Amino acid sequence: MPSEQEINRAVDRYADMLRRICMLYMKNEADCEDIFQTVFLKYLQRKEPFQSQEHEKAWLIRVAINACKDLRRSFFRSRTLSLDEIAEPAVAMPSDHREVLEAVLSLPQKYKEVIYLHYYEEYTAPQIGKLLHKNTNTVYSLLARGRTLLKEKLGDADYE
């Protein structure tokens, strides 16, 4: 079981990344906070030490993704509509950033997760393959198709 110091270090190091991953899946602050707490509760209950920081990070990402998927599949979740889905959120960001974010969030889940892990968390295709339990070549294909879909959604605008 990790010490209090290890838990605090992990929260400090990975909190922002895990919240962003949860937001990609849940699109709802309250659900993100629930998932965040669930992930760190599982971290607290883990008995074996991690092999490295990369192993720890990958484990946390995998647990967060699985928790998001579990919540999205739950009976209660499938029968409700969140307030965030009803009201248009007012996000304070430049319009071109909002447009890119909306385009990424509108992608099918399989493209959205590989695009996020590659461009925002800077994982390589082989690392993403291990995280998502997919073949490396499949990850490359999903990245290419996701980029193509983004280009179609964003039109001729040059976003880098």
Side-chain angles (χ1 to χ4, degrees):
M1 192 176 292
S3 69
E4 185 176 343
Q5 253 183 339
E6 290 172 319
I7 293 168
N8 289 336
R9 179 196 50 77
V11 169
D12 290 342
R13 181 173 288 152
Y14 303 115
D16 291 338
M17 174 195 65
L18 291 173
R19 281 193 174 100
R20 286 190 306 264
I21 289 171
C22 291
M23 238 0 221
L24 279 174
Y25 279 86
M26 306 311 298
K27 299 180 185 102
N28 174 319
E29 283 290 328
D31 288 341
C32 289
E33 286 302 314
D34 289 345
I35 299 290
F36 183 80
Q37 290 177 11
T38 300
V39 168
F40 280 103
L41 180 62
K42 288 182 181 183
Y43 181 87
L44 176 66
Q45 295 170 339
R46 185 177 164 88
K47 292 184 175 132
E48 308 99 43
F50 292 101
Q51 298 166 359
S52 65
Q53 273 189 329
E54 262 317 297
H55 179 230
E56 179 182 47
K57 183 178 179 181
W59 185 87
L60 286 166
I61 289 172
R62 185 76 252 161
V63 170
I65 290 171
N66 287 343
C68 289
K69 287 180 178 180
D70 288 346
L71 184 58
R72 289 179 65 182
R73 282 192 296 252
S74 73
F75 176 80
F76 175 76
R77 176 81 177 171
S78 66
R79 303 288 190 267
T80 60
L81 187 62
S82 75
L83 292 175
D84 291 341
E85 292 171 346
I86 296 170
E88 182 69 29
V91 179
M93 67 172 69
S95 62
D96 55 339
H97 289 264
R98 184 176 303 131
E99 186 179 352
V100 172
L101 177 61
E102 287 173 1
V104 170
L105 292 176
S106 71
L107 291 173
Q109 190 64 41
K110 62 184 178 180
Y111 303 121
K112 183 177 7 182
E113 62 191 8
V114 295
I115 296 253
Y116 174 79
L117 289 171
H118 183 70
Y119 289 105
Y120 291 95
E121 296 303 326
E122 299 178 353
Y123 276 96
T124 64
Q127 291 170 326
I128 294 170
K130 285 182 183 177
L131 278 171
L132 301 178
H133 307 294
K134 295 183 187 298
N135 184 302
T136 302
N137 289 333
T138 302
V139 173
Y140 282 122
S141 295
L142 291 170
L143 281 168
R145 291 179 190 143
R147 281 187 213 109
T148 302
L149 287 173
L150 279 175
K151 285 179 185 175
E152 289 172 7
K153 288 179 182 294
L154 295 172
D156 293 332
D158 183 27
Y159 295 98
E160 301 255 349

